[in-house]
């Protein structure tokens, strides 16, 4: 279907050539695909109708047909680290693993150019969207159920490509380095403030001097401002 007059003529000539050179031509027309493979045959650029060829022997015309083998076994795709932000505004770096297989080889070959890149980007965007509605504590406690939700969301899209997602897993969780450094800085600052508070509480005169120093700093920054100091006891 869809072949023009010239294409039909070439097809008939190819059939006649195979018949005239039989049985030598049979060695060039019969191809074999393994149990876990399927062959997609194109004749003069047109996808031949019907299901993918295989497993076993299949027939193709020399000089007119080209075929592509597609592996149907389950494939593993490692998703590299990418940042996500949880519902409680915690920034994490996570990686994941996606297991998938091909269900419709003809649809896949005529739809996608790079299967692994498409699935990788889809997993990353789906993960960011789902984790944006989860708190960090939920992510730690419900990692398995979240992985199942990601799988269901992926199936809704990859089914249009002829791909079946078997399983997804969130492997590791890392805090970004800058977030760890900031947390350590806050911890050190809080320890310093606690020590300063203990020192000031043990010496009331030191607290009064610190209060006067703060007032002096304010007047230095804004000379036109009027500041009325109050005693610490009254405050």
């Amino acid at each position: 279907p869809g072949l023009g007059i010239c294409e039909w003529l070439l097809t008939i000539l190819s059939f006649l050539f195979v018949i005239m050179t039989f049985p030598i031509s049979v060695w060039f027309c019969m191809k074999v695909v393994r149990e876990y493979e399927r062959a997609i045959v194109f004749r003069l650029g047109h996808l031949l109708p019907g299901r993918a060829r295989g497993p076993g022997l299949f027939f193709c015309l020399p000089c007119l047909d080209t075929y592509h083998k597609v592996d149907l076994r389950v494939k593993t795709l490692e998703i590299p680290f990418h940042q996500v932000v949880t519902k409680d505004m915690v920034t994490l770096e996570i990686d994941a693993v996606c297991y998938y297989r091909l269900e419709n080889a003809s649809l896949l070959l005529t739809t996608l150019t790079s299967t692994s890149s498409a699935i990788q980007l889809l997993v990353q965007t789906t993960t960011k969207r789902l984790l944006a509605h989860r708190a960090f504590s939920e992510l730690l406690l419900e990692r398995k159920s979240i992985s199942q939700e990601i799988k269901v969301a992926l199936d809704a899209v990859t089914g249009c490509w002829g791909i079946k997602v078997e399983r997804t897993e969130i492997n590791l969780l890392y805090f970004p380095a800058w977030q760890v450094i900031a947390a350590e800085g806050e911890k050190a600052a809080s320890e310093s403030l606690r020590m300063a508070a203990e020192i000031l509480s043990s010496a009331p005169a030191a607290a009064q001097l610190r209060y006067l120093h703060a007032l002096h700093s304010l007047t230095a920054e804004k000379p036109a401002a009027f500041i009325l100091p109050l005693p610490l006891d009254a405050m």
Side-chain angles (χ1 to χ4, degrees), residues 52-112:
R53 273 59 174 174
L57 290 171
F58 71 95
F59 178 83
C60 64
L61 291 177
C63 304
L64 298 184
D65 292 351
T66 58
Y67 67 94
H68 300 271
K69 289 184 179 180
V70 179
D71 197 330
L72 300 182
R73 290 176 293 183
V74 176
K75 297 176 177 59
T76 304
L77 179 63
E78 295 185 3
I79 310 301
F81 283 103
H82 56 283
Q83 284 191 354
V84 297
V85 181
T86 60
K87 183 179 179 180
D88 48 356
M89 302 304 294
V90 177
T91 303
L92 301 173
E93 289 186 357
I94 68 172
D95 71 337
V97 179
C98 180
Y99 302 90
Y100 68 96
R101 61 181 176 87
L102 311 181
E103 281 194 329
N104 191 328
S106 301
L107 180 61
L108 173 69
L109 198 61
T110 56
T111 303
L112 288 180

Side-chain angles (χ1 to χ4, degrees), residues 39-178:
I40 313 301
V41 182
F42 293 88
R43 180 165 296 167
L44 295 173
H46 297 274
L47 178 65
L48 292 185
R51 65 179 182 85
R53 273 59 174 174
L57 290 171
F58 71 95
F59 178 83
C60 64
L61 291 177
C63 304
L64 298 184
D65 292 351
T66 58
Y67 67 94
H68 300 271
K69 289 184 179 180
V70 179
D71 197 330
L72 300 182
R73 290 176 293 183
V74 176
K75 297 176 177 59
T76 304
L77 179 63
E78 295 185 3
I79 310 301
F81 283 103
H82 56 283
Q83 284 191 354
V84 297
V85 181
T86 60
K87 183 179 179 180
D88 48 356
M89 302 304 294
V90 177
T91 303
L92 301 173
E93 289 186 357
I94 68 172
D95 71 337
V97 179
C98 180
Y99 302 90
Y100 68 96
R101 61 181 176 87
L102 311 181
E103 281 194 329
N104 191 328
S106 301
L107 180 61
L108 173 69
L109 198 61
T110 56
T111 303
L112 288 180
T113 56
S114 178
T115 306
S116 58
S117 299
I119 295 179
Q120 175 181 320
L121 294 175
L122 182 61
V123 170
Q124 290 179 345
T125 53
T126 304
T127 303
K128 290 180 180 180
R129 177 172 56 84
L130 292 179
L131 296 187
H133 303 283
R134 298 278 187 146
F136 176 64
S137 57
E138 296 178 23
L139 179 58
L140 294 178
L141 298 175
E142 304 176 6
R143 189 182 305 182
K144 184 176 294 185
S145 62
I146 293 175
S147 299
Q148 182 64 24
E149 289 184 15
I150 295 174
K151 174 189 176 303
V152 173
L154 292 176
D155 272 336
V157 179
T158 57
C160 302
W161 301 339
I163 299 174
K164 173 66 174 178
V165 177
E166 296 289 341
R167 185 179 178 185
T168 56
E169 288 184 359
I170 299 176
N171 275 342
L172 300 173
L173 303 174
Y174 287 107
F175 284 96
W178 64 266

Side-chain angles (χ1 to χ4, degrees), residues 21-51:
T21 58
F22 187 83
I24 298 176
S25 59
V26 72
W27 299 104
F28 300 94
C29 298
M30 303 304 293
K31 305 296 180 182
V32 179
V33 290
R34 298 179 179 88
E35 182 68 31
Y36 55 84
E37 293 177 333
R38 296 295 183 270
I40 313 301
V41 182
F42 293 88
R43 180 165 296 167
L44 295 173
H46 297 274
L47 178 65
L48 292 185
R51 65 179 182 85

Side-chain angles (χ1 to χ4, degrees), residues 189-231:
S190 62
E191 288 291 335
S192 300
L193 289 175
R194 182 183 62 81
M195 294 175 61
E198 291 178 355
I199 295 173
L200 291 175
S201 61
S202 61
Q208 185 68 31
L209 291 174
R210 184 70 184 89
Y211 175 58
L212 294 175
H213 181 268
L215 294 178
H216 177 71
S217 300
L218 291 175
T219 55
E221 293 177 1
K222 297 181 179 180
F226 291 94
I227 299 176
L228 299 176
L230 296 176

